[in-house]
Amino acid sequence: MQLIQRARLLASKGKPQEARALFFSNEYKASLWERSLYLGQFLLETGSHLESIEEFSIVLDEAQQQGNNRLRSVACHNLAVAYRNLSFFDLAAQFQQYSIAWGDLRSANHQSLHAELEQLSDDSACDLTGRANDAIQQEDYALAEQLLNISLSREILYGDADSQAADWGNLGIVKGLQGNPVSAISCLRKAYVLHRQTDNLTLMGQDLVHLGELFWIAGRFRRATRCLDRALEFFSGSHRLSLEQKTRSRLFEMQRLLQVKQYDPLLN
């Protein structure tokens, strides 16, 4: 939507209140639930997860009144994303299951998923990705990888660059958790390239933070600190203060440890 793009631009310039005001301007003709849906998605993108829950709850109430299963699924999926970002993982998994139940992805498990693929709509990739994130939290990495690979194949056919990047990034995390840093780095680099195409500064920064941690684990310490240093530029440019502070703290810790490794004879 052009409106969301304008809001993103204002937010990237450090004008979050002006960005939010766009959703209530007279030039934007939409129903209350449509405003809430797009405002909620914008709030999710900009890190206001708690506020986004209020907006998605309005959408869910409207969906219940309409008896609109597709809108129920959309609202529940977005609520799952918001709760997951707030680290309420059990609640996120519950809403993701509601989304699956109201959508066309019946189960998302090893036994029946492949039998469903031909019947799935283009929108099912969101539920696949969400269910994969829950599987990661449950340490079921094989299921997470299976779901993400299927979702990625669908996103390549039907989705946008940001959606593909999300799947590549999650695959990178799974590969890292499985102890395969080489594959993890490859996946996260693909995510970074796709986010760069859409000029998504915040997600570019997050990709670099993940890459930095993987390079650190792989013993490529200077490369790790360069990744975090670059991530700081992106977080600063997108006015994501909390991410910038967290990354700066981690960078200082890496630099301190690097100095110890360089000058402590017991480590050389």
Side-chain angles (χ1 to χ4, degrees):
M1 267 188 82
Q2 195 172 32
L3 175 74
I4 291 183
Q5 291 175 343
R6 289 170 59 193
R8 286 172 179 162
L9 181 60
L10 284 171
S12 70
K13 294 180 178 179
K15 300 178 179 179
Q17 297 306 320
E18 291 91 333
R20 296 186 191 195
L22 287 178
F23 293 91
F24 301 96
S25 63
N26 292 330
E27 64 180 285
Y28 180 43
K29 308 298 181 184
S31 63
L32 174 62
W33 73 262
E34 287 176 312
R35 290 175 188 266
S36 292
L37 177 60
Y38 293 118
L39 175 57
Q41 290 175 338
F42 169 73
L43 292 170
L44 265 187
E45 287 185 18
T46 52
S48 300
H49 308 306
L50 198 57
E51 292 176 88
S52 74
I53 289 172
E54 298 178 24
E55 302 302 327
F56 294 133
S57 296
I58 292 172
V59 179
L60 183 56
D61 287 343
E62 178 64 24
Q64 300 283 35
Q65 292 176 29
Q66 292 182 17
N68 186 330
N69 286 350
R70 184 176 182 279
L71 190 57
R72 283 169 172 153
S73 180
V74 169
C76 287
H77 172 74
N78 281 289
L79 282 165
V81 174
Y83 281 119
R84 201 175 288 119
N85 284 326
L86 290 167
S87 298
F88 295 122
F89 299 116
D90 289 342
L91 200 51
Q94 182 178 341
F95 273 103
Q96 196 66 61
Q97 289 300 328
Y98 290 153
S99 178
I100 289 170
W102 292 120
D104 59 355
L105 184 63
R106 296 270 69 84
S107 57
N109 60 42
H110 288 292
Q111 287 72 36
S112 60
L113 181 59
H114 283 290
E116 296 180 41
L117 293 182
E118 295 301 322
Q119 286 74 45
L120 297 182
S121 71
D122 300 349
D123 297 327
S124 63
C126 289
D127 279 327
L128 288 163
T129 301
R131 179 66 187 89
N133 280 312
D134 293 331
I136 292 172
Q137 292 299 324
Q138 295 157 3
E139 299 185 9
D140 190 344
Y141 303 134
L143 176 57
E145 185 175 4
Q146 178 196 26
L147 294 170
L148 288 168
N149 279 321
I150 296 170
S151 176
L152 182 58
S153 67
R154 300 184 76 81
E155 294 290 9
I156 290 172
L157 288 174
Y158 308 114
D160 57 23
D162 276 334
S163 298
Q164 293 174 45
D167 283 338
W168 278 118
N170 285 321
L171 272 172
I173 291 170
V174 170
K175 295 290 187 183
L177 291 169
Q178 290 174 323
N180 191 343
V182 175
S183 293
I185 288 169
S186 175
C187 290
L188 282 161
R189 277 174 167 163
K190 290 174 182 176
Y192 175 77
V193 169
L194 287 164
H195 283 138
R196 190 169 60 187
Q197 290 176 11
T198 61
D199 200 29
N200 195 324
L201 297 182
T202 299
L203 294 182
M204 287 163 65
Q206 290 180 330
D207 291 335
L208 286 171
V209 168
H210 291 141
L211 279 167
E213 294 293 349
L214 286 166
F215 282 128
W216 186 264
I217 292 170
R220 300 167 68 179
F221 305 122
R222 292 190 179 280
R223 189 68 177 271
T225 58
R226 285 200 297 270
C227 282
L228 265 62
D229 195 49
R230 183 63 171 153
L232 282 173
E233 295 180 30
F234 290 136
F235 292 146
S236 176
S238 56
H239 301 276
R240 297 298 299 273
L241 181 60
S242 61
L243 290 174
E244 184 180 355
Q245 291 174 336
K246 183 177 180 181
T247 303
R248 192 179 303 281
S249 176
R250 177 58 176 146
L251 176 59
F252 285 159
E253 181 184 7
M254 282 186 177
Q255 290 171 333
R256 181 183 62 81
L257 290 172
L258 183 57
Q259 287 182 330
V260 171
K261 291 177 183 295
Q262 286 176 325
Y263 297 111
D264 187 341
L266 295 177
L267 297 175
N268 291 307

